[in-house]
Every structure is written in C-alpha cells, then in structure tokens.
Amino acid sequence: SSQNLSEEFAEAARQLKKEAPRIQFGKIDVTHQHDLRKEFNIQAFPTVKFFVNGSREDPIDCKGVRKASTFVTWVKRRTGPSTVLINSTAQAEAIINADDLAVIGFFRELHSGSVEVFCEAAREVPEMPFGMTASEEVWANYGIQRSSLVVFEKGKPVHNEVLEDGRQNKLGLTRLIKTFTLDLVTEYNIETSVKIFDVPVENHILLFTPTDSETFGEIYENYRSAAVEFRGKILFVLVDTNEARNGRIFEYFRIRDIDVPAVRILNLTSEAKHKMPADEVTVENLKEFCQSYLSGTAKQHLSSEEIPEDWDKLPVKVLVGKNFNSIVF
C-alpha cells in the first residue's frame, strides 16, 4: 500500500542521511500538484523517481522497490559502483553466504561489454548482492571455464549463464536475475500479485488446481520440477481454485470447476493465452507445452463458448470464438 511504502521510504531517508547526506528524499501529494503530475507523467501510485545532478529531464524510475533496505541499495548503486570487486575466494564466500541469494560475474578482464551489461543489470536488482571477479584463484575454486554469471542460492550455484562479450542485453539479464527473487513456484494471492507483475518476465504459466485435492502433492511436484528448467524464461504461478478471492483470474481465463487442474500460458505483452493440450499435469507434458510455446508452435487458445445448436436458424447468425473465423472469413 501507499502508506506502507511511504514508511519504508522515510526509513531509507533516515538511513541515508548518515551515510550519504547529499542524497535528498522528498514526497509530493500529486492530488494537489497537478502541474508536477502532468510534467512527470505520473500514471500510477505510488511512483518513485530519482533526479540526477539537479536535472528535471529524464528522471530514473525506481520500480518495484518496496523495502527501506532495498531503497538504500538501489540509490547507492545509482550513485556509486553497483557490484563488489572480488579478489579472493574468502571474499567470494563472504558475499555468497551473507544472504539467501547472490550473483557473481566471472570475467577474463574487467573492461568489456559484458562487464558493463552486468553492472547495469546489478543496478536494476537491488534485492540481491552482486560481485564480480577476474581472479584465476576464484575461477578455479568454482570450476568456472568461461565468462559467466552465476546465481548462488543458500551458498550453492543454481544457475550458470555464459556471458559472450557484447551479446547480452541488460533487459534479458535483469529478467533472468529477477526471477530468482521469487520462489520457484509462486502462489498467486493479493500479496504476491504485485511482486509477480513487478518481475519483468512476460511469459507466465499458471496452474489452476484446488490445493486440498488428493492429487495436489504429486501435481505440484511435477509443476515444480518443470519450473527448474524454464527459470528466467517462464514464470511459474500456482492459483488455488478453492480461494474465492481468486475469482477474477478464473473469469479472465474462463476456467470452470470441471476444467481443473488446468494449465495456461499467458504472454503479458500481447495478452495471448495458450492452453496445455494434454490433460495430465506430468513433467513431460509441462515441458513439452513450455518448449512448444517458446519455439512458437503452440496454438493460441481463444476462450470460447460452444457453438449453439441453433446458431444458423435466424437471419442474424450467432457467432462465438469457435465459429467466428469460418463464418466471417
């Protein structure tokens, strides 16, 4: 909520007053400041913008930041180095074990296009510590063979992304790293929905199922296993069909009780929906569905009512999704 964010924002201001007194925090009630709302094109609330060097032009949007500690990190990474330079294994271990998650960039040299992209991505993900190294000792310790970005979870490497100089883009890396700030499978509810849409991954797969059914345990394990392979490409979401507050999302996907368990993929940009062709939620079926979606061979699912038996009886024909194309075109 705005109130919550306002308190965290104030706490960040207090912390940074000691550490970086040159950074000023301010808040504006745009319901009374219409000119400022228009000038900075404020569409949603709350919005946080960062102004650099006294310029009103092109402030930087601070999106998805919710906690005081993350605000502090975000600002520090905008005004100073965004990653810690690692020169020894002990230093690397300290960063990797300090938090649940950490990202380390292993580079041959510290002046390259890949390093630049890595540092830019670090600015966008203040929830996680970032380090980078060109130390042969550190490379050898983790068995790294090529320039890579490695994500560590609870001290263990869980993802290795080879970095080819200049080929990566910031958005792609940011998307990949941001997915690790969510659980492998995120249950959809009022609290997590904000976080789900903050993570810039445009492909979401949703499993609709009652969480108290006898088969839930097995289905969930299969879903979780498939999620490992597609982390960073498709976001795995679980929707409990017993939860009345999730009603709107069932309506949006036209999910009925007789359809569950049901699996859908949604592309947030185009709003295209895809339905898993198989009925059984097995690891194999899920992987096949995700692969066909990513390769562009999955058929788009157009939610439609069944064709009414008397659709053709009257001069004005009754059209639904399933007969629209064949009749109109």
Side-chain angles (χ1 to χ4, degrees), residues 19-34:
E19 296 175 51
R22 286 180 61 243
I23 297 166
Q24 303 291 318
F25 280 67
K27 63 178 179 179
I28 298 165
D29 181 353
V30 288
T31 52
H32 301 300
Q33 303 289 334
H34 298 294

mmCIF file of all heavy atoms in Angstrom, residues 19-34:
data_model
loop_
_atom_site.group_PDB
_atom_site.id
_atom_site.type_symbol
_atom_site.label_atom_id
_atom_site.label_comp_id
_atom_site.label_asym_id
_atom_site.label_seq_id
_atom_site.Cartn_x
_atom_site.Cartn_y
_atom_site.Cartn_z
ATOM 1 N N GLU A 19 24.707 8.115 5.945
ATOM 2 C CA GLU A 19 25.700 7.551 5.012
ATOM 3 C C GLU A 19 25.950 8.435 3.791
ATOM 4 O O GLU A 19 27.066 8.483 3.272
ATOM 5 C CB GLU A 19 25.228 6.172 4.524
ATOM 6 C CG GLU A 19 25.133 5.138 5.631
ATOM 7 C CD GLU A 19 24.549 3.839 5.090
ATOM 8 O OE1 GLU A 19 25.071 3.355 4.070
ATOM 9 O OE2 GLU A 19 23.581 3.333 5.677
ATOM 10 N N ALA A 20 24.897 9.076 3.284
ATOM 11 C CA ALA A 20 25.044 9.880 2.053
ATOM 12 C C ALA A 20 24.178 11.132 2.161
ATOM 13 O O ALA A 20 23.111 11.226 1.537
ATOM 14 C CB ALA A 20 24.636 9.036 0.843
ATOM 15 N N PRO A 21 24.626 12.110 2.951
ATOM 16 C CA PRO A 21 23.792 13.295 3.200
ATOM 17 C C PRO A 21 23.457 14.112 1.948
ATOM 18 O O PRO A 21 22.525 14.902 1.954
ATOM 19 C CB PRO A 21 24.610 14.119 4.194
ATOM 20 C CG PRO A 21 25.988 13.555 4.155
ATOM 21 C CD PRO A 21 25.886 12.153 3.696
ATOM 22 N N ARG A 22 24.207 13.897 0.846
ATOM 23 C CA ARG A 22 23.945 14.684 -0.370
ATOM 24 C C ARG A 22 22.684 14.206 -1.097
ATOM 25 O O ARG A 22 22.149 14.893 -1.954
ATOM 26 C CB ARG A 22 25.142 14.614 -1.321
ATOM 27 C CG ARG A 22 26.325 15.455 -0.845
ATOM 28 C CD ARG A 22 27.512 15.372 -1.799
ATOM 29 N NE ARG A 22 27.207 15.866 -3.128
ATOM 30 C CZ ARG A 22 27.230 15.109 -4.225
ATOM 31 N NH1 ARG A 22 27.517 13.828 -4.144
ATOM 32 N NH2 ARG A 22 26.964 15.631 -5.404
ATOM 33 N N ILE A 23 22.224 13.003 -0.750
ATOM 34 C CA ILE A 23 21.019 12.477 -1.415
ATOM 35 C C ILE A 23 19.792 12.908 -0.615
ATOM 36 O O ILE A 23 19.656 12.587 0.553
ATOM 37 C CB ILE A 23 21.089 10.939 -1.534
ATOM 38 C CG1 ILE A 23 22.283 10.538 -2.417
ATOM 39 C CG2 ILE A 23 19.791 10.390 -2.126
ATOM 40 C CD1 ILE A 23 22.648 9.088 -2.342
ATOM 41 N N GLN A 24 18.930 13.675 -1.272
ATOM 42 C CA GLN A 24 17.738 14.218 -0.606
ATOM 43 C C GLN A 24 16.504 13.390 -0.966
ATOM 44 O O GLN A 24 16.348 12.984 -2.115
ATOM 45 C CB GLN A 24 17.497 15.665 -1.069
ATOM 46 C CG GLN A 24 18.662 16.611 -0.833
ATOM 47 C CD GLN A 24 18.875 16.892 0.650
ATOM 48 O OE1 GLN A 24 17.930 17.085 1.391
ATOM 49 N NE2 GLN A 24 20.132 16.909 1.071
ATOM 50 N N PHE A 25 15.652 13.163 0.008
ATOM 51 C CA PHE A 25 14.388 12.459 -0.215
ATOM 52 C C PHE A 25 13.236 13.454 -0.060
ATOM 53 O O PHE A 25 13.262 14.280 0.857
ATOM 54 C CB PHE A 25 14.208 11.338 0.823
ATOM 55 C CG PHE A 25 14.976 10.077 0.508
ATOM 56 C CD1 PHE A 25 16.364 10.057 0.542
ATOM 57 C CD2 PHE A 25 14.307 8.906 0.187
ATOM 58 C CE1 PHE A 25 17.077 8.903 0.259
ATOM 59 C CE2 PHE A 25 15.008 7.734 -0.101
ATOM 60 C CZ PHE A 25 16.391 7.739 -0.067
ATOM 61 N N GLY A 26 12.250 13.377 -0.934
ATOM 62 C CA GLY A 26 11.081 14.252 -0.809
ATOM 63 C C GLY A 26 9.835 13.520 -1.244
ATOM 64 O O GLY A 26 9.920 12.524 -1.962
ATOM 65 N N LYS A 27 8.661 13.987 -0.790
ATOM 66 C CA LYS A 27 7.420 13.368 -1.284
ATOM 67 C C LYS A 27 6.436 14.444 -1.721
ATOM 68 O O LYS A 27 6.432 15.552 -1.183
ATOM 69 C CB LYS A 27 6.820 12.419 -0.247
ATOM 70 C CG LYS A 27 6.368 13.024 1.053
ATOM 71 C CD LYS A 27 5.751 11.929 1.924
ATOM 72 C CE LYS A 27 5.299 12.510 3.253
ATOM 73 N NZ LYS A 27 4.679 11.510 4.114
ATOM 74 N N ILE A 28 5.630 14.088 -2.720
ATOM 75 C CA ILE A 28 4.687 15.044 -3.310
ATOM 76 C C ILE A 28 3.300 14.421 -3.328
ATOM 77 O O ILE A 28 3.130 13.286 -3.776
ATOM 78 C CB ILE A 28 5.100 15.380 -4.771
ATOM 79 C CG1 ILE A 28 6.477 16.047 -4.817
ATOM 80 C CG2 ILE A 28 4.054 16.260 -5.441
ATOM 81 C CD1 ILE A 28 7.079 16.075 -6.205
ATOM 82 N N ASP A 29 2.316 15.156 -2.868
ATOM 83 C CA ASP A 29 0.931 14.728 -2.995
ATOM 84 C C ASP A 29 0.415 15.297 -4.312
ATOM 85 O O ASP A 29 0.046 16.472 -4.400
ATOM 86 C CB ASP A 29 0.113 15.263 -1.809
ATOM 87 C CG ASP A 29 -1.346 14.824 -1.900
ATOM 88 O OD1 ASP A 29 -1.718 14.238 -2.937
ATOM 89 O OD2 ASP A 29 -2.110 15.075 -0.951
ATOM 90 N N VAL A 30 0.423 14.466 -5.352
ATOM 91 C CA VAL A 30 0.085 14.985 -6.689
ATOM 92 C C VAL A 30 -1.404 15.273 -6.871
ATOM 93 O O VAL A 30 -1.802 15.822 -7.896
ATOM 94 C CB VAL A 30 0.586 14.059 -7.830
ATOM 95 C CG1 VAL A 30 2.079 14.118 -7.970
ATOM 96 C CG2 VAL A 30 0.108 12.645 -7.645
ATOM 97 N N THR A 31 -2.223 14.915 -5.869
ATOM 98 C CA THR A 31 -3.643 15.295 -5.991
ATOM 99 C C THR A 31 -3.778 16.809 -5.898
ATOM 100 O O THR A 31 -4.731 17.394 -6.397
ATOM 101 C CB THR A 31 -4.499 14.625 -4.882
ATOM 102 O OG1 THR A 31 -3.889 14.894 -3.624
ATOM 103 C CG2 THR A 31 -4.621 13.145 -5.105
ATOM 104 N N HIS A 32 -2.775 17.466 -5.246
ATOM 105 C CA HIS A 32 -2.795 18.930 -5.148
ATOM 106 C C HIS A 32 -1.803 19.595 -6.112
ATOM 107 O O HIS A 32 -1.870 20.787 -6.345
ATOM 108 C CB HIS A 32 -2.473 19.371 -3.719
ATOM 109 C CG HIS A 32 -3.447 18.821 -2.718
ATOM 110 N ND1 HIS A 32 -4.793 19.095 -2.758
ATOM 111 C CD2 HIS A 32 -3.260 17.977 -1.666
ATOM 112 C CE1 HIS A 32 -5.402 18.453 -1.771
ATOM 113 N NE2 HIS A 32 -4.504 17.765 -1.099
ATOM 114 N N GLN A 33 -0.849 18.785 -6.625
ATOM 115 C CA GLN A 33 0.194 19.351 -7.506
ATOM 116 C C GLN A 33 -0.030 18.866 -8.938
ATOM 117 O O GLN A 33 0.722 18.048 -9.463
ATOM 118 C CB GLN A 33 1.590 18.916 -7.004
ATOM 119 C CG GLN A 33 1.891 19.297 -5.564
ATOM 120 C CD GLN A 33 2.104 20.795 -5.405
ATOM 121 O OE1 GLN A 33 2.490 21.487 -6.342
ATOM 122 N NE2 GLN A 33 1.837 21.307 -4.219
ATOM 123 N N HIS A 34 -1.085 19.384 -9.579
ATOM 124 C CA HIS A 34 -1.451 18.895 -10.913
ATOM 125 C C HIS A 34 -0.371 19.153 -11.957
ATOM 126 O O HIS A 34 -0.148 18.345 -12.846
ATOM 127 C CB HIS A 34 -2.780 19.532 -11.362
ATOM 128 C CG HIS A 34 -3.918 19.176 -10.461
ATOM 129 N ND1 HIS A 34 -4.387 17.895 -10.352
ATOM 130 C CD2 HIS A 34 -4.655 19.945 -9.607
ATOM 131 C CE1 HIS A 34 -5.383 17.872 -9.471
ATOM 132 N NE2 HIS A 34 -5.569 19.095 -9.000
#
